[in-house]
Amino acid sequence: MYNPTVARLTYRALLGRRRALILFLLPAFLLLIAAAVRMFNGADDQVAADVLGGFALATMVPLIGVIAGTGAIGPEIDDGSIVYLLSKPVKRPSIIFTKLIVAIAVTMVFSAVPTFLAGMILNGNGQQVAVAYTVAALVASIAYSALFLLLGTVSRHAVVIGLVYALVWEALFGSLISGAKTLSVQQWALAVAQKVSGEGLVSSEVGLPAAVALLVGVTVLATWYAGQKLRTLKLAGEE
């Protein structure tokens, strides 16, 4: 299912100059915030959890997911270069799976790694806060990548829709409105973090079994549906 050629082309597209700049800016901003908080506030477990939950998991991870997930396929569909891949003897579900793996890898590197570093800066991993939010960032990266890759496959406005989801639904509604919290990748990831962290530092509106089931279910269904949608893209002369 994994195609090295497709992966190489996808990495090249995602890590181009413009996208790479944005990908580096968000983690750099997180590390800057962590250093400033530690300098002025000292090591505090609750403050560390608040910073990692409020910025890293609620804002940085979904935004990087938008960039990596939609960027893995959306631009190729928009400019028509996807025709090059579809004309090759490569199964279309294989194209989606490979692009998903690349999007997950990029999202994890640019979100989970800086989350761990920020946690170490903030409180030296006291109460397992850094590890807990790193694990949350890892599992969220998988679900976000699948969701935003699907968006890139079905809509030409995937980036806009993804930004609305990340900034409005996840960061605002998903944090404040009770019913919306159940349908939030952020809350599912927090359920995993809650299991890892010290008592009372991390909380989630979703139980761990339900969170794991939802994370797996959304990832599998989004990947499958993206593969099905790519099958419906017809090349000239295929009719």
Side-chain angles (χ1 to χ4, degrees):
M1 290 290 288
Y2 182 82
N3 187 288
T5 301
V6 174
R8 185 174 64 254
L9 293 172
T10 307
Y11 275 119
R12 186 181 302 169
L14 284 180
L15 299 178
R17 185 175 301 175
R18 185 179 302 175
R19 285 195 179 88
L21 178 61
I22 300 174
L23 288 171
F24 277 107
L25 280 177
L26 288 168
F29 189 46
L30 172 63
L31 294 176
L32 183 62
I33 291 174
V37 170
R38 177 62 185 266
M39 182 183 300
F40 292 108
N41 197 71
D44 185 291
D45 295 341
Q46 187 60 60
V47 170
D50 291 342
V51 171
L52 295 181
F55 181 75
L57 191 61
T59 303
M60 184 185 72
V61 180
L63 285 178
I64 291 176
V66 170
I67 296 168
T70 61
I73 195 169
E76 291 178 279
I77 293 177
D78 290 342
D79 64 20
S81 60
I82 191 70
V83 170
Y84 170 78
L85 282 179
L86 299 183
S87 65
K88 300 299 179 181
V90 181
K91 293 182 179 179
R92 299 185 184 187
S94 177
I95 294 173
I96 290 295
F97 179 77
T98 302
K99 288 181 174 293
L100 175 63
I101 295 300
V102 172
I104 289 173
V106 170
T107 306
M108 284 182 171
V109 168
F110 285 94
S111 61
V113 173
T115 296
F116 178 75
L117 294 175
M120 295 301 292
I121 292 171
L122 286 162
N123 75 333
N125 195 38
Q127 297 293 309
Q128 295 292 305
V129 169
V131 171
Y133 277 99
T134 299
V135 172
L138 289 171
V139 297
S141 295
I142 299 172
Y144 282 132
S145 296
L147 280 173
F148 296 132
L149 180 66
L150 172 60
L151 268 180
T153 307
V154 302
S155 174
R156 291 182 178 274
H157 307 290
V159 174
V160 175
I161 297 171
L163 288 174
V164 170
Y165 177 85
L167 296 177
V168 178
W169 183 267
E170 289 282 10
L172 184 60
F173 293 158
S175 300
L176 302 176
I177 301 175
S178 181
K181 291 180 178 180
T182 307
L183 301 176
S184 167
V185 174
Q186 176 191 342
Q187 291 295 321
W188 306 341
L190 282 173
V192 180
Q194 184 178 10
K195 183 69 175 178
V196 178
S197 69
E199 187 68 29
L201 289 174
V202 184
S203 62
S204 173
E205 296 294 320
V206 183
L208 183 61
V212 172
L214 287 166
L215 285 166
V216 173
V218 164
T219 301
V220 171
L221 286 175
T223 305
W224 172 80
Y225 191 60
Q228 295 304 305
K229 292 300 292 184
L230 196 61
R231 285 176 184 271
T232 66
L233 290 178
K234 298 293 185 180
L235 300 178
E238 277 191 347
E239 300 294 344

